[in-house]
Amino acid sequence: MKYVPGGMNDSRFKKLSSAREVVDAVGGTFRAAALAGCKPPAISNAIARGCLPSTTFLIFGAELAERGLTAPPELWGIRPAPRRKRH
């Protein structure tokens, strides 16, 4: 499955619900650290906090999309855009 910008909310994708699930899905702590350009303890600490580094949102999002997975932006400490009311 090819990464499509904006595809993060696609209902065809299985939704992950924790930082641990995201890290496991991209290949584990060492692979996640390599993708993020950091050391494995930084990823382990993020899992313990339950919040991934915001700089990895697009990187991990693309990896997840390739696997047919998605995760909410809140796992990266990113608030979703407010929903606009339709008139």
Side-chain angles (χ1 to χ4, degrees):
M1 188 173 293
K2 188 172 180 175
Y3 173 66
V4 178
M8 295 288 291
N9 295 322
D10 193 321
S11 62
R12 296 175 295 176
F13 288 53
K14 179 182 175 205
K15 191 171 187 177
L16 304 178
S17 60
S18 71
R20 163 55 68 198
E21 288 180 319
V22 170
V23 171
D24 287 346
V26 300
T29 302
F30 285 88
R31 172 90 170 112
L35 289 169
C38 65
K39 295 186 180 197
I43 299 298
S44 296
N45 291 338
I47 292 168
R49 285 191 312 270
C51 186
L52 297 163
S54 60
T55 55
T56 65
F57 180 68
L58 294 176
I59 296 165
F60 289 175
E63 288 290 320
L64 293 175
E66 290 287 329
R67 293 164 171 79
L69 303 168
T70 186
E74 291 87 353
L75 291 180
W76 285 267
I78 299 169
R79 292 186 311 186
R83 290 189 143 198
R84 294 180 12 174
K85 294 181 182 179
R86 293 185 179 204
H87 298 283

